[in-house]
Amino acid sequence: MSKIELIATATFGLEAVVAREVRNLGYPEVTVEDGRVTFTADEAAICRANLWLRSADRVLLKMGSFEAATFEELFQQTKALPWPEWLPVNANFPVNGKSIKSKLHSVPDCQAIVKKAVVEKMKEKYRRDWFDEDGPRYSIEVALLKDVATLTVDTSGAGLHKRGYRKLSSEAPLKETLAAGMINLARWFDDRIFMDPLCGSGTLPVEAALIGLNIAPGNQRSFDAQLWPAVPEKLWYEARTEAADLVKRDRKLRIIGTDIDEKVLSLARYHAQAAGVAEHIHFQRLPVSEVRTKSKYGYIVCNPPYGERLGEAKEVEALYREMGRVFGSLDTWSYYIITSYPRFEQLFGRKADKRRKLYNGRIECHYYQYFGPRPPRRVE
């Protein structure tokens, strides 16, 4: 198979996690930049990356990158790219764009130029003057950064956070991709308990179960590139067969999700059932103040309220104090908390061992990481 370049886009702060996921798939040629991980692979990687990447937002096919300070340069170099190798005669190819610190700052004009260039290239190949665009979708993006244009085609379709198990939604759901990234950053060992004492609609426990059982997060959904003639159906079949074979069905996980709201817990149970992991998660109605465990070692990973709404600050501050008291009693556990609240450490009563900036949607947050001791090694 020929070599291609793919880009896995990532939320700011998760690039290193996505790069690790890409390498674990067997693609070592990786370049990490803000918001993206570029890697060299083959056509089969389009299928495998979409199915397996847990923390990436999308998988893009990189068509080319070049300097473009004028519309003529943008047109000619876009036209020079091998569009007909990927786009069939009936391709539906909308063009989106963005421009940062570039002379070509008018995004609508850039989109129109790229569309025209692709059409002209298609005319040369297919010997026709009009394209109905009633076939598979190829979403093209022209991204200009400091006069360098990068042309990509989206292979994913809907964002990769849309796993297929979350049909219902609570008030402030955590994106599945961010949840998976948080768990990967925590380096959870699946032989230990995983607990989310503020689990809401269950995203963190469900993602932990998918990770623990080695279930490909994209196994329940479809992708735009499934309809592309250039990516044979056989490759998708092989990738999905591989994913099914790699599920660790006999693994017993100990995952707990608690919350004070029975309504959101019913959503959490529904999502766990839809994801096929319900038997591995115990959901229970319980306030944070009553969280107890006899287990010596474990992980708490949670996404508490941030106090973003007017009038919530006092409630959130009381919750963070309560979390500090309860979590502090679990002195051999590790705990990981994401929040945008600036005084979290002061209220929690302890400085984090490590902090990492992450974005929950457009909200700038910090991921506070508290490391517990490692369990003693078992003597065989």
Side-chain angles (χ1 to χ4, degrees), residues 162-168 176 201-202 206-207 209-210 213 215-221 265-281 283:
K162 295 192 175 180
R163 315 288 207 215
Y165 66 76
R166 192 163 74 183
K167 305 292 194 299
L168 307 172
E176 294 86 335
S201 58
V206 169
E207 289 296 319
L210 293 175
L213 297 169
I215 295 174
N219 75 322
Q220 291 192 15
R221 56 160 288 177
L265 282 173
S266 69
L267 287 181
R269 293 185 184 99
Y270 172 88
H271 294 149
Q273 191 72 41
V277 297
E279 66 182 279
H280 297 274
I281 307 173
F283 289 110

Side-chain angles (χ1 to χ4, degrees), residues 33-34 36 65-68 98-104 142-150:
E33 301 168 275
D34 286 350
R36 60 175 49 198
S65 188
F66 48 81
E67 289 189 17
K98 57 186 177 183
S99 179
I100 301 170
K101 298 179 181 177
S102 296
K103 294 182 181 71
L104 300 179
V142 50
L144 286 139
L145 175 62
K146 297 179 181 177
D147 296 329
V148 174
T150 301

Side-chain angles (χ1 to χ4, degrees), residues 349-380:
R350 179 181 157 190
K351 272 197 159 306
D353 296 312
K354 189 174 181 180
R355 285 168 47 166
R356 190 185 195 105
K357 188 188 291 185
L358 295 175
Y359 280 83
N360 185 358
R362 295 186 178 182
I363 303 172
E364 182 181 315
C365 300
H366 279 94
Y367 191 38
Y368 297 93
Q369 302 169 61
Y370 298 86
F371 308 137
R374 291 183 179 180
R377 289 186 178 180
R378 291 181 182 178
V379 179
E380 298 295 332

Side-chain angles (χ1 to χ4, degrees), residues 113-127:
I113 292 290
V114 167
K115 181 78 175 186
K116 183 179 178 183
V118 176
V119 167
E120 290 304 312
K121 184 72 169 188
M122 298 278 279
K123 284 180 180 179
E124 291 178 0
K125 165 70 175 179
Y126 296 113
R127 305 296 178 188

Side-chain angles (χ1 to χ4, degrees), residues 304-306 316-324 339 341 344 347-348:
Y306 303 165
V316 164
E317 289 183 359
L319 173 63
Y320 291 166
R321 290 190 184 97
E322 190 68 57
M323 287 166 59
T339 178
Y341 205 76
F344 171 77
L347 296 162
F348 190 72

